[in-house]
Amino acid sequence: MNELLTKNQAEISNILAKYPADRHRSAVMPLLYLAQRQNGYVSRQSVEDIAEICEITPTEVVSVVGFYTLFYDEPAGRYRIQVCTDMPCALQGAEDFLKNLCQNVGIKIGETTADGLITIEEVKCLAGCHRAPVFQVQGDGDIVYHENQSVKSALKVIDDLRDKAAGEVKK
């Protein structure tokens, strides 16, 4: 039974309608986005469901997940803070920024805070080399870029995310 299709039949029909009937494989990325939006990551079951819908192998679906940094195959924090450490950014202090940010938050690169809210990751190329250190925050269906950062300004972003989450709990 295709769980993704059962829960999202109308939305999946709309996605597939954008592609020729013999080209359903082209819908892989929007379907991955749909699955991830629901679960926070792309589960093994979602991979199999998408493969079935697109009439391709699960390996082909996993290859897309593995290639793009916007798709995840494991659960993490509600907010993923991705810091670019590619060479141009590294030359502007991004590696030290990332290390110091993690120390201040109390986690290691790739880890999630105890409250399950923040995961800090290292990525390559966010296309903001000229404004490094740069990071993007992914969460709540959004991607927000933060350029010309210091550890202090990044900690403020994290505090704001925590305040937002706490405000939602109080409502």
Side-chain angles (χ1 to χ4, degrees), residues 8-112:
N8 305 284
Q9 191 166 12
E11 192 166 356
I12 290 172
S13 293
N14 288 337
I15 290 169
L16 293 176
K18 296 176 183 177
Y19 305 98
D22 63 337
R23 305 283 180 171
H24 282 174
R25 72 181 310 124
S26 300
V28 169
M29 289 182 67
L31 291 172
L32 285 169
Y33 178 76
L34 172 64
Q36 183 165 287
R37 189 179 71 215
Q38 286 187 224
N39 304 318
Y41 73 105
V42 180
S43 68
R44 181 67 191 158
Q45 182 62 52
S46 293
V47 166
E48 293 184 20
D49 292 348
I50 292 167
E52 180 183 325
I53 292 166
C54 294
E55 300 173 357
I56 59 176
T57 68
T59 302
E60 290 172 296
V61 176
V62 169
S63 70
V64 175
V65 173
F67 182 79
Y68 291 99
T69 61
L70 296 177
F71 295 121
Y72 313 107
D73 58 3
E74 295 179 358
R78 174 176 170 180
Y79 299 103
R80 291 178 184 258
I81 296 177
Q82 296 183 321
V83 179
C84 179
T85 58
D86 214 353
M87 183 57 72
C89 291
L91 291 171
Q92 294 190 67
E95 290 173 335
D96 288 337
F97 166 80
L98 174 61
K99 183 178 83 175
N100 292 328
L101 179 61
C102 285
Q103 285 175 345
N104 276 274
V105 173
I107 60 175
K108 294 178 182 167
I109 298 168
E111 291 183 341
T112 301

